[in-house]
Amino acid sequence: MTSVTAACGPPLAQTRCGTPTSTVLIDDQALEEFLGVAVGAYQLITAETPLPCFALLLGQREAKAFHVRRVVFGRNARTSDPAARQEFSETIVPRFGPDYENEHRGWWMDSADLLKAARQAEEGGLDLLGSIHMHPDWHRIGPPSARDHVLSERPTPMDRHLFGQAGWPLNLICYLERRDGAFYHALAAWTPSPQDAPEATECSALDVRVRTSTLLRA
């Protein structure tokens, strides 16, 4: 199975996975900001250019919850960063297939933008929690060869690999599809498997709650 996008970047720290009992609390403004950019990227996708959408998650890591306050976007260094080129050519393409030779497939956060986001988080009293990336309905809009590889909000094998490489405790996947001119999305949160686990080990799912902005009146 292949994925259109993957969360990746040079790790800032060797933080391992959170506990499977953790809950992810997401501010609605942060999610709406990501969805706005994701829809824009989706509308530019073609069979030759499976454009990704990726952002970092800033917030607070609490005892039993991750509270996502902001999303931060950055440049994709997939083809310009030497470490990224080496990772894709020596590991990702041989392991997960030649589809990943396409320079539009996959994401590697520019190291300067990653450092800038970490500084923004520190200045704002926030933590760099992890990442969020889009899975479009590539099995519907991609080439015929993609029909059997159904994407969803679940991580692909390549996602699991890159989650472990990045080492972030929180990884959100936003599945986005278009039906009859309207967009629909599903959201799931994952923490990487332990570092000594086999490659095929599934990530642990985390409960997700999105803040409701509608005021409820008695």
Side-chain angles (χ1 to χ4, degrees), residues 7 23 27 29 39 44 49 57 97 114 116 120 170 173 175 181-182 190 215:
T23 299
D27 285 5
Q29 297 97 328
V39 167
L44 298 175
T49 57
L57 303 171
L114 182 60
K116 182 179 178 180
Q120 289 177 353
L170 176 59
I173 298 176
Y175 172 72
W190 308 91
L215 296 179

Side-chain angles (χ1 to χ4, degrees), residues 1-6 133-140 146 148-157 159-160 163 171-177 179 184-190 202:
M1 180 179 295
T2 57
S3 166
V4 173
T5 64
H133 74 279
M134 172 185 64
H135 277 182
D137 52 345
W138 187 237
H139 49 286
R140 293 194 180 99
D148 294 333
H149 304 300
V150 179
L151 292 179
S152 69
E153 65 276 18
R154 296 189 60 83
T156 66
D159 289 332
R160 294 198 299 267
F163 290 168
N171 303 275
L172 294 177
I173 298 176
C174 180
Y175 172 72
L176 187 65
E177 66 179 30
R179 292 174 180 259
Y184 299 86
H185 75 277
L187 192 69
W190 308 91
E202 293 289 339

Side-chain angles (χ1 to χ4, degrees), residues 3-206:
S3 166
V4 173
T5 64
C8 189
L12 287 178
Q14 297 302 314
T15 305
R16 294 312 302 163
C17 59
T19 61
T21 57
S22 296
T23 299
V24 181
L25 308 174
I26 306 175
D27 285 5
D28 53 323
Q29 297 97 328
L31 180 58
E32 286 298 320
E33 182 178 359
F34 178 80
L35 285 171
V37 175
V39 167
Y42 181 105
Q43 293 174 316
L44 298 175
I45 289 175
T46 69
E48 294 74 31
T49 57
L51 299 175
C53 184
F54 174 94
L56 299 174
L57 303 171
L58 273 56
Q60 287 97 18
R61 184 173 183 175
E62 302 165 358
K64 293 186 178 181
F66 296 102
H67 196 148
V68 177
R69 301 286 189 178
R70 294 178 54 198
V71 295
V72 177
F73 297 92
R75 293 167 293 179
N76 188 359
R78 157 79 169 82
T79 60
S80 60
D81 187 295
R85 292 200 303 268
Q86 182 177 6
E87 174 72 9
F88 274 82
S89 64
E90 296 183 4
T91 301
I92 292 176
V93 172
R95 185 176 298 180
F96 302 108
D99 286 344
Y100 288 98
E101 292 177 345
N102 187 326
E103 65 180 25
H104 300 287
R105 188 184 300 271
W107 187 275
W108 189 281
M109 188 74 159
D110 183 273
S111 58
D113 292 342
L114 182 60
L115 181 58
K116 182 179 178 180
R119 288 174 175 169
Q120 289 177 353
E122 184 176 3
E123 292 170 358
L126 302 175
D127 302 313
L128 178 52
L129 300 174
S131 69
I132 178 172
H133 74 279
M134 172 185 64
H135 277 182
D137 52 345
W138 187 237
H139 49 286
R140 293 194 180 99
I141 65 176
S145 59
R147 298 296 184 261
D148 294 333
H149 304 300
V150 179
L151 292 179
S152 69
E153 65 276 18
R154 296 189 60 83
T156 66
M158 212 274 266
D159 289 332
R160 294 198 299 267
H161 168 75
L162 292 179
F163 290 168
Q165 291 295 307
W168 288 321
L170 176 59
N171 303 275
L172 294 177
I173 298 176
C174 180
Y175 172 72
L176 187 65
E177 66 179 30
R178 180 161 52 186
R179 292 174 180 259
D180 299 323
F183 283 96
Y184 299 86
H185 75 277
L187 192 69
W190 308 91
T191 193
S193 55
Q195 198 166 23
D196 57 352
E199 180 71 25
T201 302
E202 293 289 339
C203 298
S204 297
L206 306 176

